[in-house]
Amino acid sequence: MSVVKINVLTVPDEQREVLEKRFAARAGSVENSDGFEWFELLRPVEGTDTYLVYTRWRDEAAFQAWMEGPMKAAHQGGGSGKGEGPGEGGGERPKPAASGSTLWSFEVVQQAAPKQG
């Protein structure tokens, strides 16, 4: 079964719009990666400054291949913006919108989809 990776990003209020715009403008390399199954950026509603970046992969090897290839290339140039979209083109890399980042890993052991028809 699939693996789920959740990047937990601490994002101050004044950086929320920056973070969301960077994700919206990202190159889309994750969607074209072998073994990629799903992506969601989850905005906190109340009581926390934590965004969740949810991705699901066919297996751990597919996730690692993305980490070592497209993700690494998109995040070259320093900064701790792991999980954020690439910065605006050229020049000095913009400051990360997140002030902290933690990666949670899970294996999918059960799943269900809505019944059709």
Side-chain angles (χ1 to χ4, degrees):
M1 278 224 165
S2 303
V3 297
V4 169
K5 303 295 181 172
I6 300 173
N7 197 353
V8 183
L9 301 175
T10 303
V11 182
D13 283 345
E14 65 275 9
Q15 292 295 315
R16 285 180 166 205
E17 187 175 345
V18 171
L19 179 92
E20 291 179 23
K21 283 183 178 179
R22 287 182 185 171
F23 270 100
R26 63 192 166 81
S29 63
V30 70
E31 289 92 335
N32 297 318
S33 296
D34 182 47
F36 169 79
E37 295 178 352
W38 198 259
F39 161 85
E40 291 178 326
L41 174 63
L42 306 176
R43 176 193 302 139
V45 176
E46 60 184 46
T48 184
D49 58 359
T50 304
Y51 275 72
L52 300 179
V53 183
Y54 173 100
T55 57
R56 189 176 67 218
W57 300 86
R58 177 183 57 231
D59 53 29
E60 183 67 22
F63 172 73
Q64 292 300 327
W66 174 74
M67 287 284 290
E68 291 303 314
M71 195 286 295
K72 192 174 190 178
H75 292 87
Q76 285 182 49
S80 61
K82 182 169 70 168
E84 293 183 30
E88 290 74 27
E92 188 176 316
R93 179 164 176 75
K95 179 182 171 218
S99 62
S101 174
T102 303
L103 183 65
W104 295 342
S105 299
F106 299 88
E107 292 179 331
V108 176
V109 293
Q110 293 183 25
Q111 63 185 20
K115 293 186 177 186
Q116 300 297 319

